Structures are given as structure tokens and as C-alpha cells.
Amino acid sequence: AGDEGTAVADEPELTPPPEIEGEVITGDLGEYTINFGIGLSETSPQYRSVEYFRDILEERTEGRLQVRIFPNSQVGDDLQMMNALQSGTLEMTYPSTSPATGIVPELAVFDLPFLFPSPEAADEVLDSELGQEMLDRFDGTGIKALAFAENGYRQLTNSQRPVESPDDVRGLDLRVMENPIQVDIWRTLGANPTSMAFGEVFSAMEQGVVDGQENPWSTILTSNFYEVQGYGSETRHVYTPFIIMISEQFWNELPGEYQELIQEAAEKTRDYQRIISREYDQWSKERLRDEGMEITELTDEQRREFEEAVQPVYDRWAPEIGEELVERVQEMVAEFEER
Ligand code: TF8
């Protein structure tokens, strides 16, 4: 597979989920149902990881903790689902960090372009004390943040033309996430960005309301964006984390044994999701080519042109986010890369 002109299989070969280990939690702890809403489709690595999460909880409690999964933004977009967690009408969700900056502003550090040179550098920061501090900042907001997983490197797609340089971006009408830094990145590059909930993106592109959007290859594939987007560029301009989160109201009702199990399962889900997300990413790119999308791979030099063009975004936002936080993350990344 992967050879020029050879059709790519319909399903990627993904690492199977690890064996579920650990004792069954016995005792009369009650029965609970977790309604778990996500933005992406049933074929996404995100969904597959929630299936693993469900299996862990159901097996370890002999079905006393049930998980019902609602994909495709069918119970709301990221902002609406986080709201629902806060009001206790939905138990769990798995949004990007970008729309969560209204709740925890410090998360905006992850919206800075070209921050992480590799997914492993992102893991290093997200799994550090700093990452844990970020998760803890949700305490008292109505949401308990359990773990950072991976949305991944975002790539630009559009219906108009191949994009190789910042100049090619000029004038494109683009959908971006609901986050001011994301808007600023594309405005700085000369595009016309509009914030929009993810669930509306396909039809906005289909109807020509926008020319393009940016998301990881796996999302571009599993949300069928290639049907309405002829061109993709491997810009890797932002690495977006996902956060596995639970309603604080619901969490507080749970016995400690279940809380511990859910925390443990969320971390296992994070580890598994990162593996399949990375496997899925590269496979998706080939699959998209197969579907007829013209994909432009940028050279390091071409990517640096984008990086230089968006430098003003750092100058404008670092003071807002906190210079100290930005520098702390940059230093961790630099140290990691030297190792
Ligand atoms: C976006 C994000 C989303 C996710 C998920 C659908 O573009 O990358 O794909 O947050 O909820 O809005």
C-alpha cells in the first residue's frame, strides 16, 4: 500500500486497543449512565478511543457504569457540549482546547502557531506538571478535565487553488475555530477568517459560504471534506490538543472508586488515542490523495515562510496569554528537542 497509483485500503491498520486489565470493582456503588458527546464521526480516532473508554468502564464495573456515545456533534458543538457539562445535562465530552479558552484562558498558549516541532514535544508539555496545572484550572468551572489527548497538526484545505506560500492564502474565505488567536493567524496571512462551530463546516463549504478550513488529515477524511475541497496543504501550522472532560456536577455524585476508575480509564484512553491518531494521520493523507484531493507537501523552507509571516501573532498574543507561560512552554520544547 502507499505506492503511486495503488488504491489505499478503506480501513487503516490500527494498533488494537490494549487488553483491559485491573480488578472488577465490586460492592453496592450504584449504576450510572455516561452520555458522551463528541464532534467527530464514528470512523475518527477520537470515536474509536471513546469506544475503548466505554469498554474499560463497562468491563471493570460489570456494566454498572454505562457509556452512550453521541458522535457528529449530534448533541451539540464543542461550546454547547461544554456548557451542557457545566449545567449537568451531559456527562462527558472531548473538545479541542481552542474553544475552551473562554473557560481556561491559559489554554490559549496552545493556539500559538508552530509551537510544537513534533507530536512528542507536545506530549512532553501536556504530560508535565504544567499540563496538569492547566487541567486543574478547570476545577470549580463546572467541568473536570481528565486528560489531554490529540487532535493533532492542522492542515489547510480549500476549493480554489493549491497553496504553497502565504501569498496563495490571500483572499481565501476560511472557517476557523471559535478562538481569537485562530482568527488572527489567518487574518495576518491575508485570508478572511470566520469563526464557526465544527458541525456547520461541511455545509458552509458545500454552499460556498467559505472556500476552506483547516483540520488534521484524519478529520478532513472522516468528515468527508474532500468531497467539497479539491486542495490540501501540509502546513502543520497549529498542533491542537483534545481534552477528555466530565461534568463536575456528575463527578461529585460519583463514589470515589468510580472517580478513580474514570480517571485511570481517561489516561489509558489518552495513551491509546495518541497512538491511533498518529497512525490514522499519515494513512488519511494517502487516502485523501486516492479520493482525488491534490495535496501539496511543503518543504521546510516553505513552511518557514508561513512561520515568519505569522510572527506578529506571537507579539500580539504573548502578553495576553502571559509571557512567562509562553516562555515556559518554549523552554520545555527546546529542552526536549535537545535531548
Ligand atoms: C474544529 C476542531 C474539531 C474538534 C471536534 C470536532 O475544527 O478541530 O474538529 O474540536 O469537536 O472545530
Side-chain angles (χ1 to χ4, degrees):
D3 293 346
E4 284 279 321
T6 308
V8 179
D10 280 347
E11 276 288 307
E13 264 179 53
L14 298 177
T15 299
E19 286 298 323
I20 296 167
E21 284 166 1
E23 272 168 43
V24 170
I25 298 170
T26 53
D28 191 13
L29 298 171
E31 292 183 12
Y32 297 87
T33 299
I34 294 175
N35 294 297
F36 200 140
I38 61 168
L40 299 178
S41 78
E42 293 90 333
T43 48
S44 65
Q46 184 184 48
Y47 184 90
R48 290 165 202 250
S49 76
V50 180
E51 287 182 309
Y52 178 51
F53 178 80
R54 174 196 64 200
D55 292 348
I56 298 173
L57 296 198
E58 295 188 357
E59 236 184 271
R60 298 276 307 274
T61 64
E62 286 175 333
R64 277 167 292 141
L65 279 182
Q66 293 276 335
V67 179
R68 283 203 301 222
I69 316 173
F70 298 92
N72 294 311
S73 310
Q74 62 181 265
V75 294
D77 58 53
D78 284 352
L79 286 171
Q80 290 165 333
M81 289 193 283
M82 284 189 278
N83 257 308
L85 259 55
Q86 291 174 311
S87 58
T89 56
L90 180 69
E91 283 72 40
M92 290 187 73
T93 189
Y94 203 155
S96 295
T97 49
S98 310
T101 54
I103 303 169
V104 173
E106 289 82 358
L107 287 172
V109 70
F110 302 127
D111 287 301
L112 291 171
F114 302 102
L115 181 68
F116 294 124
S118 66
E120 291 73 24
D123 294 349
E124 175 79 5
V125 172
L126 296 167
D127 296 344
S128 71
E129 210 172 293
L130 182 148
Q132 188 56 50
E133 282 167 27
M134 293 272 199
L135 296 176
D136 292 345
R137 284 181 197 277
F138 279 91
D139 293 356
T141 66
I143 290 172
K144 177 160 179 66
L146 299 170
F148 284 110
E150 169 170 286
N151 189 354
Y153 281 119
R154 308 182 74 85
Q155 327 286 9
L156 179 69
T157 69
N158 81 94
S159 58
Q160 302 298 309
R161 54 179 175 262
V163 170
E164 266 183 20
S165 72
D167 267 352
D168 300 328
V169 172
R170 224 158 263 290
L172 288 176
D173 294 322
L174 298 178
R175 175 273 175 175
V176 298
M177 287 186 285
E178 290 147 306
N179 174 286
I181 303 182
Q182 300 306 313
V183 173
D184 195 31
I185 291 171
W186 295 98
R187 196 165 281 152
T188 303
L189 289 168
N192 307 314
T194 312
S195 286
M196 196 184 289
F198 180 79
E200 291 161 30
V201 180
F202 185 91
S203 61
M205 294 190 299
E206 191 177 37
Q207 292 161 18
V209 176
V210 293
D211 300 317
Q213 64 84 48
E214 39 84 60
N215 253 298
W217 293 130
S218 57
T219 298
I220 295 164
L221 179 71
T222 61
S223 299
N224 302 332
F225 288 174
Y226 58 85
E227 290 176 11
V228 290
Q229 300 278 278
Y231 306 95
S233 291
E234 195 154 56
T235 46
R236 270 189 282 188
H237 51 277
V238 173
Y239 176 97
T240 315
F242 273 145
I243 305 184
I244 303 172
M245 46 173 75
I246 190 163
S247 161
E248 214 167 35
Q249 193 177 312
F250 176 69
W251 178 261
N252 291 336
E253 286 169 18
L254 293 171
E257 290 91 333
Y258 282 173
Q259 289 179 343
E260 262 173 55
L261 173 62
I262 289 171
Q263 180 64 53
E264 183 190 327
E267 288 168 16
K268 290 197 161 129
T269 301
R270 165 199 70 199
D271 293 344
Y272 179 56
Q273 193 267 355
R274 284 178 181 163
I275 295 169
I276 57 172
S277 166
R278 285 159 206 181
E279 290 171 346
Y280 218 112
D281 188 57
Q282 283 313 299
W283 176 80
S284 301
K285 188 169 76 173
E286 296 315 317
R287 189 81 186 73
L288 286 166
R289 276 211 174 97
D290 232 42
E291 291 290 348
M293 185 180 259
E294 183 180 329
I295 293 181
T296 306
E297 316 229 16
L298 304 180
T299 62
D300 289 348
E301 212 164 302
Q302 284 174 320
R303 203 167 286 114
R304 214 166 303 123
E305 260 188 74
F306 280 93
E307 195 171 345
E308 277 163 22
V310 294
Q311 269 314 299
V313 175
Y314 271 84
D315 305 336
R316 276 193 289 271
W317 289 95
E320 195 96 359
I321 299 165
E323 307 268 8
E324 210 183 304
L325 174 59
V326 176
E327 277 164 27
R328 222 172 125 200
V329 172
Q330 286 174 324
E331 274 164 26
M332 287 177 79
V333 169
E335 270 173 37
F336 178 77
E337 290 299 297
E338 271 167 33
R339 243 182 270 157

Short mmCIF file of all heavy atoms in Angstrom, two decimals, residues 59-99:
data_model
loop_
_atom_site.label_atom_id
_atom_site.label_comp_id
_atom_site.label_asym_id
_atom_site.label_seq_id
_atom_site.Cartn_x
_atom_site.Cartn_y
_atom_site.Cartn_z
N GLU A 59 -16.44 -3.05 31.48
CA GLU A 59 -15.84 -4.31 31.94
C GLU A 59 -15.47 -4.25 33.42
O GLU A 59 -15.72 -5.19 34.18
CB GLU A 59 -14.60 -4.63 31.10
CG GLU A 59 -14.71 -6.00 30.45
CD GLU A 59 -13.45 -6.38 29.70
OE1 GLU A 59 -13.40 -6.02 28.49
OE2 GLU A 59 -12.56 -7.02 30.29
N ARG A 60 -14.89 -3.16 33.82
CA ARG A 60 -14.38 -3.06 35.19
C ARG A 60 -15.49 -2.88 36.22
O ARG A 60 -15.25 -2.97 37.43
CB ARG A 60 -13.37 -1.89 35.31
CG ARG A 60 -12.12 -2.04 34.45
CD ARG A 60 -11.03 -2.88 35.10
NE ARG A 60 -10.69 -2.44 36.44
CZ ARG A 60 -9.80 -1.50 36.73
NH1 ARG A 60 -9.14 -0.89 35.77
NH2 ARG A 60 -9.53 -1.19 37.99
N THR A 61 -16.72 -2.57 35.75
CA THR A 61 -17.84 -2.42 36.69
C THR A 61 -18.95 -3.43 36.39
O THR A 61 -20.05 -3.32 36.94
CB THR A 61 -18.46 -1.00 36.63
OG1 THR A 61 -19.03 -0.80 35.33
CG2 THR A 61 -17.43 0.08 36.92
N GLU A 62 -18.67 -4.39 35.53
CA GLU A 62 -19.67 -5.35 35.07
C GLU A 62 -20.96 -4.63 34.64
O GLU A 62 -22.07 -5.02 34.99
CB GLU A 62 -19.94 -6.41 36.15
CG GLU A 62 -18.77 -7.38 36.23
CD GLU A 62 -18.87 -8.41 37.35
OE1 GLU A 62 -19.52 -8.10 38.37
OE2 GLU A 62 -18.27 -9.48 37.19
N GLY A 63 -20.76 -3.54 33.92
CA GLY A 63 -21.90 -2.84 33.32
C GLY A 63 -22.60 -1.84 34.22
O GLY A 63 -23.60 -1.24 33.82
N ARG A 64 -22.09 -1.64 35.42
CA ARG A 64 -22.76 -0.66 36.29
C ARG A 64 -22.43 0.78 35.90
O ARG A 64 -23.16 1.70 36.24
CB ARG A 64 -22.47 -0.95 37.77
CG ARG A 64 -23.42 -2.04 38.30
CD ARG A 64 -22.99 -2.59 39.62
NE ARG A 64 -21.75 -3.33 39.45
CZ ARG A 64 -20.75 -3.32 40.32
NH1 ARG A 64 -20.83 -2.61 41.40
NH2 ARG A 64 -19.67 -4.02 40.08
N LEU A 65 -21.33 0.97 35.20
CA LEU A 65 -21.07 2.27 34.55
C LEU A 65 -21.28 2.06 33.06
O LEU A 65 -20.53 1.32 32.42
CB LEU A 65 -19.64 2.75 34.80
CG LEU A 65 -19.30 3.44 36.12
CD1 LEU A 65 -17.83 3.88 36.12
CD2 LEU A 65 -20.19 4.65 36.36
N GLN A 66 -22.31 2.66 32.52
CA GLN A 66 -22.63 2.54 31.10
C GLN A 66 -22.18 3.80 30.37
O GLN A 66 -22.31 4.89 30.92
CB GLN A 66 -24.14 2.41 30.91
CG GLN A 66 -24.74 1.12 31.44
CD GLN A 66 -24.64 -0.01 30.43
OE1 GLN A 66 -24.55 0.24 29.23
NE2 GLN A 66 -24.64 -1.24 30.93
N VAL A 67 -21.70 3.65 29.14
CA VAL A 67 -21.33 4.82 28.34
C VAL A 67 -22.11 4.79 27.02
O VAL A 67 -22.07 3.79 26.30
CB VAL A 67 -19.81 4.86 28.05
CG1 VAL A 67 -19.45 6.08 27.21
CG2 VAL A 67 -19.01 4.87 29.35
N ARG A 68 -22.83 5.86 26.75
CA ARG A 68 -23.52 6.01 25.45
C ARG A 68 -22.81 7.09 24.67
O ARG A 68 -22.66 8.21 25.16
CB ARG A 68 -24.98 6.41 25.67
CG ARG A 68 -25.86 5.24 26.09
CD ARG A 68 -27.30 5.55 25.75
NE ARG A 68 -27.72 6.77 26.44
CZ ARG A 68 -28.91 6.92 27.02
NH1 ARG A 68 -29.81 5.96 26.98
NH2 ARG A 68 -29.22 8.04 27.62
N ILE A 69 -22.37 6.77 23.45
CA ILE A 69 -21.57 7.72 22.67
C ILE A 69 -22.45 8.41 21.62
O ILE A 69 -23.18 7.75 20.88
CB ILE A 69 -20.40 7.01 21.96
CG1 ILE A 69 -19.69 6.03 22.92
CG2 ILE A 69 -19.41 8.04 21.43
CD1 ILE A 69 -18.62 5.16 22.23
N PHE A 70 -22.36 9.73 21.57
CA PHE A 70 -23.10 10.53 20.58
C PHE A 70 -22.11 11.28 19.69
O PHE A 70 -21.58 12.32 20.08
CB PHE A 70 -24.03 11.51 21.29
CG PHE A 70 -25.07 10.84 22.13
CD1 PHE A 70 -24.83 10.59 23.47
CD2 PHE A 70 -26.28 10.43 21.57
CE1 PHE A 70 -25.79 9.95 24.26
CE2 PHE A 70 -27.24 9.79 22.35
CZ PHE A 70 -27.00 9.55 23.69
N PRO A 71 -21.81 10.75 18.49
CA PRO A 71 -20.82 11.39 17.60
C PRO A 71 -21.44 12.50 16.75
O PRO A 71 -22.62 12.85 16.90
CB PRO A 71 -20.36 10.23 16.73
CG PRO A 71 -21.54 9.33 16.64
CD PRO A 71 -22.31 9.48 17.93
N ASN A 72 -20.63 13.06 15.85
CA ASN A 72 -21.09 14.00 14.81
C ASN A 72 -21.77 15.26 15.34
O ASN A 72 -22.71 15.75 14.72
CB ASN A 72 -22.07 13.29 13.85
CG ASN A 72 -21.38 12.20 13.06
OD1 ASN A 72 -20.33 12.42 12.47
ND2 ASN A 72 -21.95 11.00 13.06
N SER A 73 -21.34 15.77 16.46
CA SER A 73 -21.93 16.99 17.04
C SER A 73 -23.45 16.86 17.22
O SER A 73 -24.14 17.88 17.27
CB SER A 73 -21.64 18.23 16.18
OG SER A 73 -20.28 18.34 15.85
N GLN A 74 -23.97 15.63 17.28
CA GLN A 74 -25.44 15.47 17.33
C GLN A 74 -26.04 15.95 18.64
O GLN A 74 -27.23 16.27 18.70
CB GLN A 74 -25.88 14.05 17.00
CG GLN A 74 -25.37 13.01 17.98
CD GLN A 74 -25.82 11.60 17.63
OE1 GLN A 74 -26.81 11.12 18.13
NE2 GLN A 74 -25.10 10.94 16.74
N VAL A 75 -25.25 16.04 19.71
CA VAL A 75 -25.78 16.64 20.94
C VAL A 75 -25.17 18.02 21.20
O VAL A 75 -25.25 18.55 22.31
CB VAL A 75 -25.62 15.71 22.17
CG1 VAL A 75 -26.47 14.46 22.01
CG2 VAL A 75 -24.16 15.33 22.45
N GLY A 76 -24.58 18.62 20.15
CA GLY A 76 -24.06 19.97 20.27
C GLY A 76 -22.63 20.09 19.76
O GLY A 76 -21.96 19.08 19.53
N ASP A 77 -22.19 21.33 19.53
CA ASP A 77 -20.80 21.53 19.15
C ASP A 77 -19.96 21.65 20.42
O ASP A 77 -20.48 21.56 21.53
CB ASP A 77 -20.67 22.75 18.22
CG ASP A 77 -21.20 24.01 18.87
OD1 ASP A 77 -20.76 24.34 20.00
OD2 ASP A 77 -22.04 24.69 18.25
N ASP A 78 -18.66 21.86 20.25
CA ASP A 78 -17.76 21.89 21.41
C ASP A 78 -18.24 22.86 22.50
O ASP A 78 -18.28 22.50 23.68
CB ASP A 78 -16.33 22.29 20.98
CG ASP A 78 -15.58 21.15 20.28
OD1 ASP A 78 -16.09 20.01 20.26
OD2 ASP A 78 -14.47 21.41 19.77
N LEU A 79 -18.60 24.08 22.10
CA LEU A 79 -19.03 25.08 23.10
C LEU A 79 -20.32 24.65 23.79
O LEU A 79 -20.45 24.74 25.01
CB LEU A 79 -19.22 26.45 22.43
CG LEU A 79 -17.95 27.21 22.04
CD1 LEU A 79 -18.30 28.44 21.21
CD2 LEU A 79 -17.16 27.63 23.29
N GLN A 80 -21.26 24.16 23.00
CA GLN A 80 -22.55 23.73 23.58
C GLN A 80 -22.38 22.53 24.49
O GLN A 80 -23.01 22.45 25.55
CB GLN A 80 -23.54 23.39 22.45
CG GLN A 80 -24.02 24.61 21.69
CD GLN A 80 -24.71 24.24 20.38
OE1 GLN A 80 -24.44 23.20 19.78
NE2 GLN A 80 -25.60 25.11 19.93
N MET A 81 -21.51 21.60 24.10
CA MET A 81 -21.32 20.42 24.95
C MET A 81 -20.62 20.78 26.26
O MET A 81 -20.98 20.27 27.32
CB MET A 81 -20.56 19.33 24.18
CG MET A 81 -21.41 18.69 23.08
SD MET A 81 -20.72 17.17 22.38
CE MET A 81 -19.44 17.80 21.29
N MET A 82 -19.65 21.68 26.20
CA MET A 82 -19.01 22.12 27.45
C MET A 82 -20.02 22.81 28.36
O MET A 82 -20.04 22.60 29.58
CB MET A 82 -17.83 23.05 27.15
CG MET A 82 -16.61 22.30 26.66
SD MET A 82 -15.14 23.33 26.55
CE MET A 82 -15.40 24.11 24.96
N ASN A 83 -20.90 23.63 27.76
CA ASN A 83 -21.99 24.25 28.51
C ASN A 83 -22.89 23.23 29.17
O ASN A 83 -23.33 23.39 30.30
CB ASN A 83 -22.86 25.07 27.54
CG ASN A 83 -22.57 26.53 27.67
OD1 ASN A 83 -22.60 27.06 28.77
ND2 ASN A 83 -22.26 27.17 26.56
N ALA A 84 -23.19 22.18 28.41
CA ALA A 84 -24.07 21.12 28.92
C ALA A 84 -23.41 20.39 30.09
O ALA A 84 -24.08 19.99 31.05
CB ALA A 84 -24.43 20.15 27.80
N LEU A 85 -22.10 20.22 30.05
CA LEU A 85 -21.38 19.61 31.18
C LEU A 85 -21.54 20.51 32.41
O LEU A 85 -21.77 20.04 33.52
CB LEU A 85 -19.89 19.45 30.86
CG LEU A 85 -19.39 18.05 30.45
CD1 LEU A 85 -20.15 17.50 29.27
CD2 LEU A 85 -17.89 18.07 30.16
N GLN A 86 -21.40 21.82 32.17
CA GLN A 86 -21.49 22.77 33.29
C GLN A 86 -22.87 22.79 33.92
O GLN A 86 -23.00 22.95 35.13
CB GLN A 86 -21.10 24.18 32.82
CG GLN A 86 -19.62 24.29 32.49
CD GLN A 86 -19.24 25.63 31.89
OE1 GLN A 86 -19.89 26.11 30.95
NE2 GLN A 86 -18.19 26.24 32.42
N SER A 87 -23.90 22.61 33.08
CA SER A 87 -25.25 22.62 33.66
C SER A 87 -25.72 21.23 34.05
O SER A 87 -26.83 21.05 34.53
CB SER A 87 -26.23 23.29 32.69
OG SER A 87 -26.23 22.60 31.48
N GLY A 88 -24.87 20.22 33.83
CA GLY A 88 -25.19 18.87 34.27
C GLY A 88 -26.15 18.12 33.38
O GLY A 88 -26.72 17.10 33.77
N THR A 89 -26.34 18.57 32.13
CA THR A 89 -27.27 17.88 31.22
C THR A 89 -26.54 16.92 30.26
O THR A 89 -27.18 16.23 29.47
CB THR A 89 -28.10 18.88 30.39
OG1 THR A 89 -27.20 19.76 29.70
CG2 THR A 89 -29.00 19.71 31.29
N LEU A 90 -25.21 16.90 30.31
CA LEU A 90 -24.40 15.95 29.55
C LEU A 90 -23.25 15.58 30.47
O LEU A 90 -22.74 16.43 31.19
CB LEU A 90 -23.89 16.61 28.25
CG LEU A 90 -23.03 15.76 27.31
CD1 LEU A 90 -23.85 14.65 26.64
CD2 LEU A 90 -22.38 16.64 26.22
N GLU A 91 -22.85 14.30 30.43
CA GLU A 91 -21.82 13.86 31.38
C GLU A 91 -20.39 14.09 30.87
O GLU A 91 -19.53 14.53 31.62
CB GLU A 91 -22.01 12.38 31.76
CG GLU A 91 -23.14 12.15 32.74
CD GLU A 91 -24.52 12.33 32.11
OE1 GLU A 91 -24.69 11.90 30.94
OE2 GLU A 91 -25.42 12.91 32.77
N MET A 92 -20.13 13.74 29.60
CA MET A 92 -18.75 13.87 29.13
C MET A 92 -18.64 14.42 27.71
O MET A 92 -19.55 14.24 26.89
CB MET A 92 -18.02 12.51 29.20
CG MET A 92 -17.74 12.06 30.63
SD MET A 92 -16.71 10.56 30.73
CE MET A 92 -15.09 11.21 30.28
N THR A 93 -17.51 15.06 27.42
CA THR A 93 -17.19 15.48 26.06
C THR A 93 -15.68 15.54 25.87
O THR A 93 -14.92 15.29 26.81
CB THR A 93 -17.89 16.80 25.68
OG1 THR A 93 -17.72 17.04 24.28
CG2 THR A 93 -17.33 17.99 26.44
N TYR A 94 -15.24 15.91 24.65
CA TYR A 94 -13.85 15.67 24.23
C TYR A 94 -13.46 16.76 23.21
O TYR A 94 -13.13 16.45 22.08
CB TYR A 94 -13.89 14.29 23.57
CG TYR A 94 -12.68 13.42 23.43
CD1 TYR A 94 -12.87 12.04 23.33
CD2 TYR A 94 -11.39 13.92 23.35
CE1 TYR A 94 -11.82 11.17 23.15
CE2 TYR A 94 -10.33 13.05 23.17
CZ TYR A 94 -10.54 11.68 23.06
OH TYR A 94 -9.49 10.82 22.87
N PRO A 95 -13.54 18.03 23.61
CA PRO A 95 -13.34 19.11 22.64
C PRO A 95 -11.87 19.46 22.40
O PRO A 95 -10.99 19.00 23.13
CB PRO A 95 -14.01 20.30 23.33
CG PRO A 95 -13.76 20.04 24.79
CD PRO A 95 -13.82 18.53 24.95
N SER A 96 -11.63 20.32 21.42
CA SER A 96 -10.32 20.93 21.24
C SER A 96 -10.09 21.93 22.36
O SER A 96 -11.05 22.43 22.96
CB SER A 96 -10.28 21.66 19.90
OG SER A 96 -10.40 20.74 18.85
N THR A 97 -8.83 22.26 22.60
CA THR A 97 -8.54 23.27 23.62
C THR A 97 -8.99 24.67 23.16
O THR A 97 -9.38 25.48 23.99
CB THR A 97 -7.03 23.33 23.93
OG1 THR A 97 -6.31 23.41 22.70
CG2 THR A 97 -6.58 22.12 24.72
N SER A 98 -8.95 24.92 21.85
CA SER A 98 -9.20 26.28 21.35
C SER A 98 -10.54 26.87 21.78
O SER A 98 -10.57 28.00 22.25
CB SER A 98 -9.06 26.33 19.83
OG SER A 98 -7.85 25.73 19.44
N PRO A 99 -11.66 26.15 21.64
CA PRO A 99 -12.92 26.73 22.11
C PRO A 99 -13.06 26.71 23.63
O PRO A 99 -14.03 27.27 24.16
CB PRO A 99 -13.99 25.87 21.44
CG PRO A 99 -13.33 24.59 21.09
CD PRO A 99 -11.87 24.89 20.91
#
